[in-house]
């Protein structure tokens, strides 16, 4: 098979590549101009295209992502194979992800204000609640678990909207490619204890992962640190979480948020919140009781990230780091 090297100006059907957005081990993403709008094209890396397992994973991701239509999820519209290249057509998000903007210790804008942080948590939990409760056309629970909730996969766009992305390793009951028992996929520092042990996962694993993200944004520090993936994995399995308090530069942190985040990070899935609907409800209640709507609006979030957007102009940051 003749290799096709992606470059600006290259045409794939009705899409013309304009610039590369992100690069990863399994795929790369390019911005592309369609007939009436701009899209993101996700291409499988050439060295994976002859691997039947990767092809099934790529196809599964496409079929799963096309079922998901939510304002807080990056949309996937279509897929195709042209000139030996497998591609997915996605919504192009002009924004920055939590990792890229150094949201934890941003020199320009400091720590994320609490009302905006709560808005972030409400948006992500709302999207995951939608994902976790998706059913087939016949009413069967699809059993979707994202399995890779991390700062890399949570984006803020220039309009102040929050979006999650990358269902490449998501688990669903009807996927053709099945993760072998004991096989671990995801970013170790954002896994649940049961995920690091290769156990069968449900929605409560995503609750733990979102708990890590919230703890880190609140504290300004990484939660699970170690000299190797194995060392980090052991700390995740122990789930020893330092308590959030004023020592983390958050003297105004409501107790209700502290209690929720620590419950999300419970080692035992049975002792975490029952579902993402509960997480969204509890975060939303604090947000609305403690702050004015103008403090957590999309406009306020857009204004807060504006300095970072200026540094990322014309370069959306869809992260594919594995």
């Amino acid at each position: 098979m003749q290799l096709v090297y992606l470059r600006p100006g290259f045409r794939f059907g009705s899409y013309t590549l304009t610039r590369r957005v992100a690069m990863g081990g399994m795929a790369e993403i390019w911005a592309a101009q369609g007939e009436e709008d701009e899209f993101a094209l996700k291409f499988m890396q050439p060295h994976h295209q002859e691997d039947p397992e990767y092809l099934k994973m790529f196809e599964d991701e496409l079929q799963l992502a096309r079922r998901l239509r939510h304002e807080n999820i990056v949309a996937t519209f279509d897929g195709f194979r042209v000139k030996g290249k497998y591609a997915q057509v996605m919504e192009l998000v002009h924004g920055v992800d939590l990792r890229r903007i150094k949201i934890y210790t941003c020199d320009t804008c400091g720590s994320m204000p609490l009302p905006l942080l709560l808005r972030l948590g409400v948006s992500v939990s709302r999207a995951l609640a939608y994902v976790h409760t998706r059913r087939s056309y016949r009413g069967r629970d699809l059993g979707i678990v994202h399995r890779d909730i991390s700062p890399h996969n949570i984006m803020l766009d220039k309009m102040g909207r929050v979006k999650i992305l990358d269902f490449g390793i998501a688990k669903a009951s009807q996927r053709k490619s099945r993760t072998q028992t004991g096989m671990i996929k995801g970013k170790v520092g954002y896994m649940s204890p049961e995920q690091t042990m290769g156990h069968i996962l449900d929605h409560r694993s995503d609750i733990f992962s979102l708990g890590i993200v919230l703890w880190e944004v609140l504290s300004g520090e990484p939660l699970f640190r170690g000299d190797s993936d194995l060392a980090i994995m052991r700390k995740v399995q122990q789930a020893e979480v330092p308590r959030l308090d004023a020592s983390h530069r958050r003297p105004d942190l409501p107790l209700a948020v502290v209690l929720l985040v620590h419950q999300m990070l419970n080692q035992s899935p049975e002792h975490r919140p029952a579902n993402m609907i509960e997480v969204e409800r509890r975060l939303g209640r604090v947000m609305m009781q403690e702050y004015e709507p103008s403090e957590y609006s999309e406009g306020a979030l857009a204004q807060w990230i504006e300095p970072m957007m200026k540094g990322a102009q014309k370069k959306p940051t869809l992260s594919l780091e594995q």
Side-chain angles (χ1 to χ4, degrees):
M1 180 181 68
Q2 183 178 3
L3 291 178
V4 175
Y5 294 96
L6 304 178
R7 61 183 185 274
F10 211 103
R11 285 189 62 84
F12 285 88
S14 59
Y15 304 98
T16 303
L17 302 187
T18 56
R19 63 194 182 283
R20 188 163 64 186
V21 173
M23 188 82 167
M26 182 176 174
E28 60 183 295
I29 292 182
W30 283 72
Q33 183 63 50
E35 294 180 356
E36 297 181 356
D37 206 348
E38 197 173 19
F39 297 89
L41 298 189
K42 181 175 182 179
F43 293 95
M44 179 183 288
Q45 294 286 24
H47 54 280
H48 289 314
Q49 291 189 172
E50 300 304 314
D51 186 326
E53 183 63 23
Y54 274 97
L55 288 175
K56 282 190 286 186
M57 285 178 61
F58 203 70
E59 180 185 349
D60 279 354
E61 179 186 5
L62 172 63
Q63 297 305 319
L64 177 60
R66 287 174 67 176
R67 292 173 179 249
L68 305 177
R69 287 290 181 268
H70 190 277
E71 62 181 349
N72 298 119
I73 296 176
V74 174
T76 298
F77 304 112
D78 201 0
F80 60 85
R81 182 181 183 183
V82 176
K83 301 173 183 176
K85 284 283 188 181
Y86 292 89
Q88 298 174 12
V89 183
M90 303 162 54
E91 172 188 5
L92 180 63
V93 180
H94 294 271
V96 284
D97 63 48
L98 287 185
R99 173 190 59 91
R100 181 79 177 267
I101 65 177
K102 300 179 181 178
I103 205 168
Y104 307 145
T105 54
C106 176
D107 294 335
T108 304
C109 27
S111 300
M112 177 179 269
L114 273 172
L116 297 183
L117 189 153
L118 291 171
R119 174 60 180 260
L120 172 78
V122 166
S123 297
V124 175
S125 55
R126 179 181 297 145
L128 289 173
Y130 164 81
V131 168
H132 294 160
T133 55
R134 287 291 291 153
R135 294 184 174 274
S136 70
Y137 300 118
R138 296 183 178 180
R140 180 181 177 183
D141 184 2
L142 293 177
I144 303 173
V145 183
H146 189 285
R147 299 201 304 173
D148 199 15
I149 294 300
S150 67
H152 310 68
N153 291 330
I154 299 174
M155 293 196 68
L156 289 73
D157 75 7
K158 65 180 182 180
M159 303 301 292
R161 294 170 295 198
V162 179
K163 291 179 178 285
I164 63 173
L165 64 147
D166 200 352
F167 285 79
I169 67 168
K171 170 258 181 186
S173 59
Q174 297 177 325
R175 288 193 73 148
K176 296 178 183 177
S177 63
R178 303 282 181 149
T179 301
Q180 299 175 12
T181 302
M183 181 180 292
I184 298 172
K185 292 185 176 183
K187 301 174 185 68
V188 175
Y190 295 94
M191 291 182 180
S192 65
E194 59 269 27
Q195 189 174 2
T196 66
M197 294 183 279
H199 293 175
I200 295 174
L201 305 179
D202 62 20
H203 63 279
R204 296 171 295 184
S205 180
D206 284 345
I207 289 176
F208 190 95
S209 296
L210 179 56
I212 298 174
V213 173
L214 293 176
W215 190 97
E216 291 186 346
V217 177
L218 284 165
S219 70
E221 303 169 4
L223 178 51
F224 298 114
R225 289 182 274 195
D227 296 331
S228 65
D229 281 353
L230 181 59
I232 296 172
M233 193 177 298
R234 286 172 177 165
K235 290 189 175 182
V236 172
Q237 291 170 359
Q238 295 166 357
E240 295 180 358
V241 180
R243 186 172 175 83
L244 289 166
D245 54 30
S247 65
H248 289 105
R249 304 184 301 281
R250 290 289 187 177
D252 57 341
L253 183 59
L255 178 60
V257 176
V258 174
L259 295 177
L260 173 60
V261 172
H262 281 276
Q263 185 182 356
M264 294 170 72
L265 291 170
N266 196 290
Q267 184 182 39
S268 171
E270 290 76 16
H271 295 139
R272 296 171 201 159
N275 48 51
M276 279 293 180
I277 296 173
E278 179 183 342
V279 174
E280 177 195 350
R281 176 180 56 80
R282 290 168 65 179
L283 287 173
R285 184 166 57 203
V286 175
M287 182 177 71
M288 290 185 289
Q289 287 178 347
E290 299 288 336
Y291 304 102
E292 295 296 326
S294 60
E295 295 180 88
Y296 54 80
S297 67
E298 289 183 351
L301 188 53
Q303 184 176 5
W304 185 77
I305 67 168
E306 186 177 3
M308 291 166 277
M309 283 299 303
K310 290 179 179 178
Q313 281 182 350
K314 298 184 178 180
K315 190 176 181 181
T317 54
L318 289 173
S319 173
L320 294 181
E321 184 175 309
Q322 300 299 315

